[in-house]
Amino acid sequence: MSGAALGIEIIFVFFLALFILHRYGDFKKQHRLVIIATLLAWYLCFLIVFILPLDVSTTIYNRCKLAVNSSPPESSSSNIIINGSYPTSAPRKHKCFEPWSYIPDGIMPIFWRVVYWTSQFLTWILLPFMQSYARSGGFSITGKIKTALIENAIYYGTYLLIFGAFLIYVAVNPNFNLQWNQLQTIGIAAANTWGLFLLVLLLGYGLVEIPRSHWNGAKRGYLLMKTYFKVAKLMTEKADAEENLEDIMEEVRKVNESIKYNHPLRKCVDTILKKCPTEYQEKMGRNMDDYEDFDDRQNNYPSEKSLVKLHKQVIYSVQRHRRTQVQWRILLEQAFYLEDVAKNETSATRQFVHTFQFQEPENRITQYFYTPTVEWYWECLLRPWFYRILAIVLATFSVIVVWSECTFFSTKPVLSLFAVFIQLAERTYNYIYIEMACFLTIFFLSICVYSTVFRIRVFNYYYLASHHQTDAYSLLFSGMLFCRLTPPLCLNFLGLTHMDSSISHKNTQATAYTSIMGSMRVLSFIADGFYIYYPMLVVILCIATYFSLGTRCLNLLGFQQFMGDNEMTSDFIDEGKELIRREKRKRQRQEEGENRRREWKERYGNSREDSTRNRNVHPDEKESSFSETNATVSKYTRSNGRTERDRIELLQDAEPLDFNADSVRPLSIYPEGKFLPDPKYGD
């Protein structure tokens, strides 16, 4: 099993990152380099989280071997038997059992070095450049690269200026005799300090919001009200996106009409048209019969710079419009389903009944096992309790994390609960327990941090939208955040478990991950100050999140957030209810229309088959049958001579009109052809 666990986790994490990226990105429409760069950033960060527990267990095993090899040899007197037993003062030799996931020496340092420096290259150099490249409206690769370099000149210049000033200071000051390894450690410490500053902010939010969201998930009324609120907000954003798209398309139409077929910038206009939606492309089709030459003396032609700006606006507006449309459909389905859950809670048959059928056909395996009865028990009975128990477990983990963040610097006595768990398992060399405890700890920390990255939204510039609706800029930005947050997250985890020698103050073998970070003693004010006391701020952030101080501040600034005790929230909920009611009526009319069309098709489709079958009958039988049928139905046949087949085709092509059945009184049809009101509705 030597190294097998490492290989299995490398493959598993790759497919995990690919699956999550497929949920948010669009592999068909987005550029391949954007997908590859984001996948690599996510993959490396997830890989660090999954491999670090193996590094911990391997380090504990190496410490055990080192302790055995460095212990003094047993004296010969230890073999003397006194009264039938060995003397109690004789040293007892203990054995070190190799863990099942043991990684041979020399592999982990190289592995961590490659993973760490690759992620740092991505987050500080490549991904910022690709962000500017993705948002550029240039029409050529050279133009996009030029725009990206100009936009990142200040970004890169600032880092070069700081680094150059530091080098000059070190070279001039005779008290400093820094070597390359120390300079490397200072750079790592600076990057980790920036990441730790952001890490504590995100962690403080996730430690409270994740358990609370699962607890509120057990409240049906709460989820439904919040969905109504989201519907009202999304409707406003959807209308704004449609209006913005109309304005941009109007500008594109003017440019398309002004620049003729033989204008030098016509290729740029054609590139812009390809990015427009299909319906607008058909309206603004290239006018090929207009061969009027352009005049260089005229000044009303747009410049290439203005076309680049228009191209950028088109890309942004089309992406935003498409995203709001998809989110609107998904949110409607969610609202319809929550209303169905509320209705089925009082069902006596214990069979889950849906108001509308699913848009996509379900899997046969799901249909076989997830029956209406099973769905009712899960949605109406088991799921609320499951969410409550899960919320309690997550809240317990959050309390342990907050306590450990405030006490992990204490080594005598050991107050960090995570360090206590690891040290108890280390005494018995229970490597499976060690790896599971480490994995659950760092996995929970990662969920709290990463889920916050997926939830936050910076206006419309950064927003991770599921169902393949995230733009390239947001994907690349998320990769940058993950690469900057993961190294300090792992160092914080090693500090909580006292596996970091700078925290435990023990002269023991460090983990391979800590060894590539170097000794933080070069910057003592960071190692002994910032790294220890700054994480304590997580307590203040958790309290602020519990009382929703951030949400209340956003409400005061005009960014409406869901708050149960707010009048504006109630107005949004009422508006959302009306929108859902309107969309439900619209969906019902559509289904009624489809059902009527299906009935017409089934009824008159059989008539067409009968008429086709009659044409294949013997001529004599066909003539006699036709005469009998003609004599029978002559009084129901129109006098215009239209054939039966023509009438059938017209009836099939006709689309029945939608109507409100409650507003029309049924009529009773008598055999004589008279239509009278139904007696039960009165005269």
Side-chain angles (χ1 to χ4, degrees), residues 3-17:
L6 179 63
I8 293 173
E9 291 198 2
I10 288 175
I11 298 174
F12 171 76
V13 173
F14 174 78
F15 286 103
L16 176 63

Side-chain angles (χ1 to χ4, degrees), residues 53-121:
L54 303 184
D55 189 10
V56 172
S57 62
T58 301
T59 302
I60 292 176
Y61 172 69
N62 292 333
R63 290 178 180 178
C64 177
K65 290 196 304 181
L66 185 62
V68 171
N69 296 332
S70 61
S71 60
E74 298 180 0
S75 60
S76 58
S77 61
S78 61
N79 298 326
I80 301 175
I81 302 177
I82 301 176
N83 297 329
S85 62
Y86 289 98
T88 57
S89 61
R92 185 174 54 186
K93 186 175 180 180
H94 59 276
K95 297 181 179 180
C96 298
F97 299 98
E98 183 176 301
W100 70 278
S101 58
Y102 175 72
I103 301 174
D105 296 338
I107 294 180
M108 289 307 299
I110 299 176
F111 175 81
W112 286 130
R113 191 172 288 110
V114 172
V115 170
Y116 177 78
W117 289 113
T118 303
S119 63
Q120 294 305 300
F121 173 77

